[in-house]
Amino acid sequence: MRLPGPQAEEGKSPPPEHRYHGDRSVASTGIAALLIALIPAFAGAAHAQSVESFYRGRTATIVVGYSVGGGYDAYARVLARHLGKHIAGHPSVVVQNMPGAGSLRAANYIYNAAPKDGTMLGVFARGMAMEPLIGASGANFDARKFAWIGSGTNEVSVCATWHAAKVKTWEDGLAIPFTVAGEGSGSDPDIFSIMLRNVFGAKMRLVSGYPGGADMTLAIERGEVDGRCGWTWSSVKLQRPDWVAERKLNVLIQLAAQPSPELPGVPFINDLATTERQRRIVDLVLSRQAMGRPLVAPPGTPEDRRQALRRAFDATMADPDFVAEATARSLEVNPVNGADLDKLLVELYATPPAVLAETRAIISEGAK
């Protein structure tokens, strides 16, 4: 049975409306091929616009793992005022403080709970990246998987006491008991204090749990503690420039990869490390100094946005307005880019297990 409609008789050509169907198919195939060839160009253009269109009209948040008024907070706030103009789409950038456990709370939040779309960034302790390696507490993250955006500087830290304290020099600290403030496991004040006590024999007692740098500074002024270790020199100058000018602090030791020219005559920790054991532990602990003011995004942040944030960070570090404001606030600008931080993390996580185990044992002993 034949279906209704025009049918070609045997030996005759099909009606005109059917005759050109094949020609139209050829033409359609050619057009389709042309469109397919153009897809990469269209996709590339759309991809280039996607970051800009995503950020336009949005707000990005920098979560700071410390209370208001400390060095990390000050750095984040200056950064927030300039970063947005270098991100495609020019989002607003605001700061949110999330203190707790020496910024471990903020690090865990950024890694596990924060939105992974490029709108949430984090600033936490430079030593937090090493917490899964040598820490004694619950670091629920793999530092290598953060989207490392960059670091504002590599830092020189110090151990210092109040001018009225009995301990006024490093030699005093090896002979006279004294107290120092700390924030929590993984933070510089805690890690450096424990290292100086357990590796070099300093007679210090750690009083931990302060929410941030400003709180520890106030504790020193009130006489609750004698001093603080793992205190970045730039933060000392930022928070208490009068203490520097009026010599209200005794700077006992420099804790850095390279000594500061601003601290002549202050002992440098590498010069005090006289055994191979001491040198190995010091090198591992001080490697965090290259992450002086780290900026990260959560793991899983889209690659195009991660790269856009890295470019924006690098541009901000070179922005004369940012540099001028940072300098006026006594914040050092000596940036380390995200790619170099990635390389540093690879090196740190390749540390021989024996060195890690010994350092972890020292830190754990100090946490008891």
Side-chain angles (χ1 to χ4, degrees):
M1 178 178 179
R2 291 180 180 269
L3 293 174
Q7 300 292 331
E9 298 181 23
E10 289 188 21
K12 292 186 179 182
S13 299
E17 64 268 27
H18 287 238
R19 191 184 310 152
Y20 297 104
H21 178 76
D23 295 338
R24 287 199 302 270
S25 297
V26 171
S28 299
T29 301
I31 292 171
L34 177 60
L35 290 174
I36 290 171
L38 291 174
I39 283 174
F42 290 137
H47 184 76
Q49 295 171 356
S50 65
V51 171
E52 181 177 357
S53 61
F54 173 78
Y55 280 112
R56 187 180 295 114
R58 290 181 184 266
T59 297
T61 300
I62 299 177
V63 174
V64 181
Y66 294 99
S67 55
V68 175
Y72 285 95
D73 177 71
Y75 161 76
R77 293 181 184 277
V78 174
L79 178 63
R81 284 192 282 273
H82 298 271
L83 182 65
K85 67 183 178 182
H86 297 289
I87 301 174
H90 309 304
S92 300
V93 182
V94 299
V95 171
Q96 175 186 342
N97 295 85
M98 188 182 288
S103 79
L104 178 61
R105 178 187 173 202
N108 281 334
Y109 169 76
I110 291 294
Y111 190 88
N112 296 292
K116 302 180 186 300
D117 60 359
T119 60
M120 193 68 71
L121 302 168
V123 170
F124 45 64
R126 65 185 61 88
M128 198 54 59
M130 299 174 62
E131 189 68 0
L133 290 177
I134 62 175
S137 65
N140 298 321
F141 57 81
D142 182 336
R144 294 166 294 182
K145 294 182 180 179
F146 279 114
W148 293 90
I149 306 304
S151 173
T153 184
N154 50 20
E155 290 281 5
V156 171
S157 292
V158 299
C159 187
T161 59
W162 188 235
H163 65 93
K166 293 181 179 179
V167 172
K168 300 182 184 302
T169 66
W170 173 246
E171 288 74 19
D172 289 342
L174 296 174
I176 303 172
F178 65 109
T179 56
V180 292
E183 296 167 322
S185 177
S187 68
D188 282 4
D190 292 62
I191 296 296
F192 283 132
S193 298
I194 293 168
M195 177 185 69
L196 291 174
R197 184 183 68 196
N198 293 353
V199 178
F200 292 91
K203 302 293 185 182
M204 63 178 64
R205 180 173 67 87
L206 177 64
V207 180
S208 193
Y210 289 95
D215 307 276
M216 290 187 287
T217 301
L218 186 59
I220 293 171
E221 191 171 27
R222 288 174 172 172
E224 296 174 13
V225 293
D226 294 311
R228 172 182 169 187
C229 295
W231 194 357
T232 60
W233 184 238
S234 62
S235 291
V236 176
K237 295 185 294 181
L238 168 68
Q239 295 172 3
R240 289 294 187 271
D242 54 321
W243 288 8
V244 177
E246 298 171 15
R247 299 182 180 277
K248 289 188 175 182
L249 288 176
N250 308 304
V251 183
L252 309 184
I253 188 172
Q254 298 186 62
L255 305 161
Q258 297 292 331
S260 171
E262 297 182 13
L263 297 169
V266 176
F268 177 48
I269 190 169
N270 282 11
D271 294 336
L272 302 176
T274 57
T275 68
E276 183 60 27
R277 171 180 177 271
Q278 289 176 332
R279 283 190 288 270
R280 286 200 311 265
I281 294 171
V282 166
D283 286 346
L284 178 59
V285 173
L286 291 186
S287 61
R288 68 184 61 204
Q289 297 300 83
M291 303 178 183
R293 301 295 185 203
L295 181 69
V296 306
T301 299
E303 181 62 18
D304 56 345
R305 295 172 201 167
R306 182 175 76 101
Q307 293 300 334
L309 290 169
R310 281 187 169 186
R311 290 192 296 271
F313 178 86
D314 294 343
T316 302
M317 293 296 109
D319 184 335
D321 293 336
F322 167 80
V323 174
E325 184 177 357
T327 301
R329 299 289 304 276
S330 297
L331 299 172
E332 295 183 9
V333 181
N334 185 20
V336 181
N337 65 41
D340 286 340
L341 292 180
D342 286 341
K343 293 176 185 176
L344 176 59
L345 264 295
V346 171
E347 293 173 2
L348 287 176
Y349 276 71
T351 301
V355 176
L356 291 177
E358 183 174 16
T359 306
R360 190 182 303 113
I362 289 170
I363 302 303
S364 298
E365 180 183 341
K368 294 178 182 178

